[in-house]
Amino acid sequence: MWLGIDIGTSGVKAVLIDDTGASAGQVLAPTKSVQYEVGGKVNVSGFDAVLSYFQISQPTAFAIPAPGGRQIFGLFGEQRNRGF
């Protein structure tokens, strides 16, 4: 019987530039996105079993109501995705 085990991690930080949807005459500042992942693989006699966990975080931009019936578009939250 043959047994192989692999374990790995990774991390990525990125700068995102996106001015879509910005309010008139307004440009959003660059934002940062962060991704982490840890995982492993076991191979037993040619059969692979893989498990990994990841998390991605990045700012979220959306419009909020402002006085005078206007809306202000900006970075007002954070989107976080996690999974196995």
Side-chain angles (χ1 to χ4, degrees), residues 15-56:
V15 176
L16 308 170
I17 300 174
D18 184 11
D19 63 354
T20 58
S23 298
Q26 178 185 8
V27 177
L28 297 177
T31 60
K32 294 179 184 176
S33 174
V34 181
Q35 177 179 340
Y36 299 105
E37 183 177 2
V38 61
K41 177 174 84 170
V42 176
N43 183 301
V44 179
S45 298
F47 176 76
D48 287 337
V50 179
L51 179 66
S52 65
Y53 172 79
F54 70 91
Q55 175 176 307
I56 303 169

